[in-house]
Amino acid sequence: VDIEHDKVRVDLVFRMCQLFAEGHNNTMQNLLRDQSRFGVRVVNNLIAVGLKYLQVIGKNEKTLRAMTGEDSIRLVSTLDFFTEVTQGPCVENQALLAESILLDTCSTLMWTTFKIGAKINAREVNSMKSAGVAIMLALIEGRSDLMVHNMLATKLEPQIVRNRLVEVYKTYQISLEKHDGDLSGDWDDLLLEEGFGILKLIQSLTSNHAVTD
């Protein structure tokens, strides 16, 4: 192996961390945040590490717009890691992530328009947006309070959510017409997942009175 050119695959690092918590393993979800209960003296909060990385690669609209396909893979792996360590739910990790830069990043990701071309393709963009919605849903999963719901409601402007849902629907209609109603071979399932995810997000926030019309 050429050590000089052996780059660390950040996406694979977060994928490995994600697999540690696979299956809503609450013990491992907590372990990835705090190892002190297992007798470890020097604690490494891997979720906080992920948040620091997120702050670098997705800190604002300008940074997101400049993303390449490779960057999108790294961002998605980070968001997927966050989703896996919160689902179940793990309320401690939900609270940690909800009070971080994550909600700002997901909100910005939802309304940011990307220039599709050689640098980044439509599926890579849809992958990021879908992962952003997935982690927002994971943050409010199974909660008995409205803390995260209210935080989400303050970050997500209703018009932004509506506009993205309309955009998803219009893209679906265009694809439907392009393929004469047959989307079995050329349909981006991630876009569909995002659309349903947005609907679930709206339903959860409105049913819990976290947002107003």
Side-chain angles (χ1 to χ4, degrees):
V1 177
D2 185 353
I3 301 297
E4 192 173 336
H5 296 90
D6 184 25
K7 297 181 180 179
V8 175
R9 286 282 303 276
V10 176
D11 58 309
L12 294 182
V13 172
F14 283 117
R15 174 58 178 161
M16 180 183 70
C17 291
Q18 177 188 347
L19 290 172
F20 283 146
E22 196 78 25
H24 306 167
N25 188 325
N26 191 255
T27 299
M28 290 302 297
Q29 288 173 326
N30 286 308
L31 180 66
L32 288 166
R33 185 191 70 258
D34 180 10
Q35 304 86 40
S36 61
R37 69 184 66 183
F38 296 95
V40 178
R41 292 184 178 180
V42 180
V43 172
N44 290 291
N45 187 337
L46 298 181
I47 299 173
V49 171
L51 288 170
K52 288 181 180 179
Y53 182 69
L54 180 67
Q55 193 164 13
V56 173
I57 64 171
K59 61 180 179 180
N60 54 38
E61 179 191 3
K62 182 179 179 181
T63 305
L64 290 172
R65 285 183 185 274
M67 280 195 159
T68 64
E70 289 186 0
D71 293 330
S72 74
I73 293 173
R74 298 186 187 101
L75 177 60
V76 169
S77 68
T78 307
L79 295 177
D80 286 348
F81 164 58
F82 291 151
T83 298
E84 196 62 50
V85 297
T86 53
Q87 287 180 328
C90 179
V91 293
E92 295 88 353
N93 289 347
Q94 284 178 329
L96 171 63
L97 289 168
E99 295 171 350
S100 72
I101 189 180
L102 179 61
L103 293 184
D104 289 311
T105 300
C106 291
S107 176
T108 305
L109 185 59
M110 182 177 284
W111 58 259
T112 295
T113 301
F114 293 83
K115 185 177 181 180
I116 306 300
K119 190 170 69 170
I120 191 168
N121 61 46
R123 181 164 180 83
E124 288 163 340
V125 170
N126 292 338
S127 180
M128 291 190 294
K129 288 181 177 286
S130 179
V133 172
I135 178 55
M136 287 190 284
L137 283 171
L139 289 177
I140 58 177
E141 177 185 317
R143 293 197 66 87
S144 58
D145 58 43
L146 293 179
M147 184 193 80
V148 181
H149 289 77
N150 291 331
M151 294 177 73
L152 259 176
T154 61
K155 298 291 184 181
L156 287 176
E157 295 182 17
Q159 190 64 35
I160 292 175
V161 179
R162 177 187 177 280
N163 289 348
R164 180 54 188 165
L165 190 58
V166 170
E167 186 180 356
V168 169
Y169 174 74
K170 287 182 177 178
T171 304
Y172 169 78
Q173 289 296 323
I174 291 172
S175 297
L176 200 63
E177 294 172 6
K178 179 181 177 181
H179 299 284
D180 295 323
D182 181 14
L183 298 178
S184 58
D186 188 26
W187 168 247
D188 194 336
D189 56 310
L190 292 172
L191 193 64
L192 195 60
E193 286 179 13
E194 182 194 355
F196 278 112
I198 292 174
L199 288 173
K200 288 171 65 178
L201 196 60
I202 293 172
Q203 181 184 33
S204 181
L205 292 177
T206 54
S207 64
N208 287 284
H209 308 291
V211 294
T212 57
D213 294 334

